[in-house]
Amino acid sequence: MKNMLKLGLSLAIYASVACVCLSLVNMVTAPAIAAAKERELNAGLAVVFADADTFEAAPGFVSDTATSVKVTNLYLAKKAGQVMGAVVQANGPTYDKAEMLIGVTLNRSITGIQFLSLTDTPGFGQKAAEPEFSNQFAGKSIDDAFNAGSDVDMIGGATITTKGVSQLIKYATYVAGEYLAANCGGAAGTGEAPVIAEAATAFTFEEACESIFPAEEYGEISIHEVEEGIGDVARSMIVEQKAFALSGDKIIAAMVAVRGQTYKYGGVVLTAVGADGNIIGARILELNDDQNQGQLALEESYYNQFTGLNAAESILNGEGKYDAITGATITSDCVADMVKVGAVEAVNMLAEKGLGVTAIDQNSYQLNENYLEE
């Protein structure tokens, strides 16, 4: 007992000393880190608006964080005390994410851009920070369309990065231009605020049911969840949810959600199958892949491809049943595999109820299993 008390006391002392040391390290390093960030910011301001001799925080500016593009700061660019324009600081999604400084003149043209951070793919997305790409924005009007591949030159092999950077610049400079017009005598804009394409998100189970069985088409549907078989393993996937969809007393579909492998950390896909054995719809309940590229599987244009396929059919890449997402083939094929396994499980639920479909052996068909090829 005494040894346990001594051990506990020793651990408590060590923990306290460690906390004190960490606090001291933080006290010493925090000012240095802050100073380094300020130097980086000041250097960036001078790069993107080289004609200015001073910069100051824009009075009354309020951060714009309502969309995925976050406009965090605005600095007035001055020369001999006169406002020449502004530098806007913003961050947002690209292939991964980026933080930038963009200079804007009073007549709504861009003086230059500077990346404070860019975490996209080395060799592809990182090319956005190279002069061959970034220099094209100098002199460009902030009222331009900023359409990648049209008035913005594409980065080869980095479509998502190009679109993300273009969207970030377009929205951030719009905010800067509006401030300059309202407060500094800048030229007025020619249009409304750019629409920021927000990333699609996963469904909850309830949202997925409402989406698959819209009231205007199916009327009032009741969902009856099934406990039997939850946690079972089907083709290396875990059955997470099972349910029947009923119209009155009539079963019109079975639904099964399975958890499976994806490109990174897995996901959950819900598949609904009607009494004719055809897939009514598939919805993603969880997906833990890349922020932008892999997450495109959450888009309606991707998951709706499985609607109408028969559960007995194979769903393999290259058969024309679905188009894989460019740059996210593994994610695409893994979701297709989860749709297939869930559809078979749903058919077997319907077969047990004697609803006219034939049960399918879970080991009788081929899957993509693309993740095994990494």
Side-chain angles (χ1 to χ4, degrees), residues 210-221 247 252 280 307:
E210 292 177 4
S211 176
I212 293 171
F213 302 104
E216 58 270 21
E217 181 178 351
Y218 288 91
E220 187 173 345
I221 299 296
S247 177
I252 62 170
I280 297 175
T307 301

Side-chain angles (χ1 to χ4, degrees), residues 326-337:
T326 302
T329 302
I330 293 177
T331 296
S332 304
D333 293 350
C334 288
V335 170
D337 285 351

